[in-house]
Amino acid sequence: MNKRIDENLRGAVPLAHLFLRERVKAGDRVVDATSGNGRDTLLLAQLVGEGGQVWAFDLQEDALTATREILAAHGVLGRVELVLAGHERLAEVVDGPLAAVVFNLGYLPGGDQRIITRPTTTLPALAAALGLLAPGGLLLIVIYTGHDGARAEEEAVTGWAAGLDPRAFNVWACRQPNRSTAAPYLVLVEKGKP
Amino acid sequence: MNKRIDENLRGAVPLAHLFLRERVKAGDRVVDATSGNGRDTLLLAQLVGEGGQVWAFDLQEDALTATREILAAHGVLGRVELVLAGHERLAEVVDGPLAAVVFNLGYLPGGDQRIITRPTTTLPALAAALGLLAPGGLLLIVIYTGHDGARAEEEAVTGWAAGLDPRAFNVWACRQPNRSTAAPYLVLVEKGKP
C-alpha cells in the first residue's frame, strides 16, 4: 500500500482514515460499529489483510447490503462478519483485543433520516468498545451535527470523552476552524500503552 | 520503519509526529521552523532519507547545537541544513515545494523563557510556509499556552488558520478535552490537492 494517502483531509472521515492507516496492521481485529455505506468497513478489511478480522454492525438491512456489495467487489468479504444489530450489542459479539473501533454517529447517508444513533445506545456502545481496545488501540468517532437530536448526542459524547482518565486514555477532538461549526468532526480516544 | 508507531498520542508533539510519519516520504523536502531540542528535526531527517532535504531554523545557538548533536548521533546530519535565524527568513533560504513544515510556538524547553516566538514574526512565517507547501503538504503548528504572551500568539494563529480559504486548505485544530485547557494543542493545515 502506498504510504502517501490519496485523500485530502477535507472532512472527518478522511481524517479518521489517516489514523486507521497509521495504526491498523495485518492480522488485527477491528470493528466498524456503524457500517453505513461500507466505506470504513472496506478500508478496515483492506488494512487487516487475510489474517485479520472485521466486525461490521448496522441496524439497517440496507446498510449491510451496501456494505456486503462493496466488500465483495473488492474481494475482502471473507474477512468481515456483518452483524444486523445496533452497536450496543458489540460486547456480545466481538472478541478483543481490538486495534480500532470506528463509529459514525448520525444517520445512514441517503437513508431514512428518522433512523439515527441515540445517546442511550451510543454511550454504552462506546464504553464497551473502550473495554475491548488493545493498548495503543484507537476509538474513532465521527460526529455529525446536522440532524434532529444531534446536539444532545454530541454533548453526551463529548462529555463522556472529556471525562475519561487522562492517565489511561489520550483523547483528541479535531475540528475544522475554517468551516462551519456544523461540519462533522472527529473525536479520537487512544488507549495508552503501559 | 515499523508502521505501528511507538509513541502514545499523549501530547501534541506525538500527534504531529503521527501526521509526519503518514505524509513525509523518502526524497521529500521539509522544514523544521523551530528546531528547539531537535526532536522534530531528527524525525524529519529520518523520514526524508538520504535523498531528502531538511531545513532547521532556530534563533538560538543553543538550540542548533542540541539539534546538531542529536542529528550527528543518529547519522543524519548530512541531510539537514541548520539555519541560525528566525523562521521569518524561511522564504529566503528554503526551496520548495515542501511536503511538511513544523512549528513549535513558545520557548525553547529548558532554555530562556524570555525568548519566545511572537505573532509579528510567526504570522509572516506561517504565510511563507503555506506558500511553499506542495499539494497535499502539511503545515503542523504545536501551540503552547503557558508562557507570557502565549494567549496573544494563540489567538493570532488560530484566527489566521480560521480565515484560510476552505476550498484551498483543509484546517484542523486538535485539542485534548480530558486535559487542562492549558495543554498544548495542534493546528494542522493541509494544502489541498487539485
Side-chain angles (χ1 to χ4, degrees):
Chain A
M1 183 173 304
N2 196 318
K3 185 166 181 288
R4 170 99 56 179
I5 70 167
D6 298 314
E7 302 172 278
N8 286 304
L9 299 177
R10 200 174 294 283
V13 170
L15 183 65
H17 284 193
L18 182 147
F19 285 105
L20 293 174
R21 287 174 205 271
E22 170 67 22
R23 280 294 168 93
V24 178
K25 63 178 192 352
D28 278 345
R29 295 163 169 257
V30 297
V31 168
D32 186 348
T34 46
S35 79
N37 56 27
R39 289 197 310 161
D40 294 342
T41 316
L42 175 61
L43 175 63
L44 289 168
Q46 291 170 328
L47 292 172
V48 301
E50 288 191 16
Q53 175 68 46
V54 184
W55 288 268
F57 290 77
D58 212 288
L59 263 178
Q60 299 184 67
E61 186 68 53
D62 285 356
L64 291 189
T65 299
T67 300
R68 186 180 294 111
E69 282 172 9
I70 194 172
L71 294 172
H74 288 81
V76 295
L77 183 56
R79 306 167 192 175
V80 182
E81 183 174 335
L82 297 167
V83 185
L84 182 64
H87 47 226
E88 66 276 14
R89 294 191 47 209
L90 197 140
E92 294 170 39
V93 176
V94 172
D95 291 323
L98 301 172
V101 182
V102 182
F103 285 78
N104 277 269
L105 300 183
Y107 53 84
L108 175 64
D112 185 341
Q113 295 195 15
R114 290 170 303 179
I115 303 177
I116 57 173
T117 55
R118 295 180 190 283
T120 48
T121 53
T122 297
L123 289 183
L126 292 174
L130 216 57
L132 291 166
L133 278 188
L138 294 184
L139 172 57
L140 294 165
I141 312 163
V142 175
I143 302 181
Y144 295 85
T145 56
H147 56 284
D148 284 349
R151 177 59 62 95
E153 182 166 71
E154 179 186 353
E155 288 177 359
V157 172
T158 55
W160 172 81
L164 292 173
D165 182 350
R167 294 164 299 184
F169 298 104
N170 300 310
V171 182
W172 290 95
C174 300
R175 294 173 179 263
Q176 294 185 274
N178 68 335
R179 291 183 57 186
S180 156
T181 54
Y185 64 98
L186 180 69
V187 172
L188 175 159
V189 182
E190 179 195 53
K191 184 169 180 177
K193 280 167 277 190
Chain B
M1 183 174 305
N2 195 319
K3 186 166 180 288
R4 169 99 56 177
I5 71 167
D6 298 314
E7 302 172 278
N8 286 304
L9 299 177
R10 201 174 292 283
V13 170
L15 184 64
H17 284 193
L18 182 146
F19 285 105
L20 292 174
R21 288 174 205 271
E22 170 66 22
R23 280 295 168 93
V24 178
K25 63 180 193 349
D28 277 344
R29 295 163 170 257
V30 297
V31 168
D32 186 348
T34 47
S35 79
N37 56 27
R39 289 198 310 162
D40 294 342
T41 316
L42 174 62
L43 175 63
L44 290 169
Q46 291 171 327
L47 291 173
V48 301
E50 288 190 16
Q53 175 69 46
V54 184
W55 288 268
F57 290 76
D58 212 288
L59 263 178
Q60 299 184 66
E61 186 68 53
D62 286 355
L64 291 188
T65 299
T67 300
R68 187 180 293 110
E69 282 173 10
I70 195 172
L71 295 171
H74 288 81
V76 295
L77 183 56
R79 305 167 192 175
V80 182
E81 183 173 335
L82 297 167
V83 185
L84 183 64
H87 46 226
E88 66 276 13
R89 294 192 46 209
L90 197 140
E92 294 170 37
V93 176
V94 171
D95 290 324
L98 301 172
V101 182
V102 183
F103 285 78
N104 277 270
L105 300 183
Y107 53 85
L108 175 64
D112 185 342
Q113 296 195 16
R114 290 169 304 180
I115 304 177
I116 56 173
T117 55
R118 295 179 190 284
T120 48
T121 54
T122 297
L123 290 183
L126 291 173
L130 217 57
L132 290 166
L133 278 187
L138 294 184
L139 172 57
L140 294 166
I141 311 163
V142 175
I143 302 182
Y144 295 85
T145 56
H147 57 285
D148 285 349
R151 177 59 62 96
E153 182 167 72
E154 179 186 352
E155 288 177 0
V157 171
T158 54
W160 172 83
L164 293 173
D165 182 350
R167 293 165 299 184
F169 298 104
N170 300 310
V171 182
W172 290 94
C174 300
R175 294 173 180 263
Q176 294 185 272
N178 69 335
R179 291 183 57 186
S180 156
T181 55
Y185 64 97
L186 180 69
V187 172
L188 174 159
V189 182
E190 178 195 52
K191 184 169 179 178
K193 280 167 277 191

